[in-house]
Amino acid sequence: MNRSMTEIRWHGRGGQGAKTACLLLADAAFASGKYVQGFPEYGPERMGAPITAYNRISDVPCTVHSNIYEPDYVVVVDESLLTSVDVTAGLNPEGAIVINSPRPAETLRPLLRDYTGGVYTIDARKISEEHLGGYFPNTPMLSAIVQVSRVLEPGRFIADMEASFRHKFATKPQVIQGNMNCLIQSMKEVRGA
């Protein structure tokens, strides 16, 4: 892995917030003094259709301007994509994949096309329903990839996200607290094999 740049590819379905999580990660990395790119891949996406988004986070300026074909990490926001999209294509075996699933990571490895790197799971549905009252998997998945990749220092990430949420949801304090609870619980509950 290039230690000065980390590349992350997000796989989700339209409406699940993968694009939003990707952009939030870029904002948090920028707030930490990193050079960043965060962008979705647009096509004929519609609610429920597979989508892809990308992050580059670096200690030096990012001079590459293309999709990410050999990511260090992959985030899968919808477990059903494991059987319809090659989510591990080009994935660095020294990196990891983080999957939204209530199942243990080792039970998903057979679906990952012989990928030999780290496999992590987080039950984003349970966490978001508990703290946000609905299924919003992007916040738990965002926190899980930060915890697994250590692309940002977790304490600083939490503080930066709280400042961002306080600005974005100034009139909705319950939304701020719910999202913060999601972030913190996800960091504690992400599990790997």
Side-chain angles (χ1 to χ4, degrees):
M1 270 191 280
N2 176 349
R3 295 294 170 207
S4 67
M5 182 184 302
T6 300
E7 294 182 314
I8 300 170
R9 187 174 63 216
W10 296 76
H11 292 278
R13 293 191 181 278
Q16 292 180 324
K19 173 188 162 190
T20 300
C22 168
L23 297 177
L24 284 171
L25 180 57
D27 287 346
F30 181 77
S32 293
K34 303 281 188 179
Y35 293 91
V36 299
Q37 293 179 359
F39 56 98
E41 178 178 5
Y42 283 111
E45 285 83 10
R46 62 195 178 288
M47 187 70 76
I51 66 104
T52 310
Y54 306 93
N55 285 113
R56 283 191 180 91
I57 300 171
S58 179
D59 295 325
V60 298
C62 301
T63 58
V64 178
H65 299 282
S66 67
N67 290 348
I68 295 172
Y69 301 103
E70 296 180 346
D72 300 301
Y73 298 93
V74 166
V75 181
V76 180
V77 181
D78 189 308
E79 180 181 356
S80 71
L81 293 171
L82 298 179
T83 57
S84 61
V85 175
D86 185 3
V87 297
T88 59
L91 179 55
N92 188 331
E94 293 180 26
I97 185 169
V98 181
I99 304 165
N100 175 11
S101 177
R103 300 192 287 167
E106 59 272 6
T107 66
L108 298 175
R109 193 173 287 279
L111 301 174
L112 301 179
R113 304 182 187 209
D114 299 320
Y115 176 66
T116 59
V119 179
Y120 294 81
T121 59
I122 183 77
D123 190 346
R125 176 180 293 278
K126 176 185 74 81
I127 292 170
S128 67
E129 287 178 348
E130 179 180 332
H131 295 292
L132 298 172
Y135 183 43
F136 305 102
N138 57 339
T139 302
M141 297 306 293
L142 171 61
S143 188
I145 191 58
V146 168
Q147 180 69 15
V148 169
S149 69
R150 296 297 180 154
V151 68
L152 300 174
E153 191 278 314
R156 171 80 190 263
F157 165 73
I158 293 293
D160 288 343
M161 290 306 301
E162 184 170 15
S164 175
F165 289 150
R166 287 199 183 286
H167 175 74
K168 185 175 183 178
F169 301 114
T171 61
K172 300 177 183 176
Q174 72 282 4
V175 173
I176 298 167
Q177 193 56 55
N179 276 288
M180 293 309 299
N181 291 344
C182 279
L183 291 173
I184 293 165
Q185 185 172 344
S186 296
M187 285 192 161
K188 294 176 184 174
E189 291 190 14
V190 65
R191 300 285 181 257

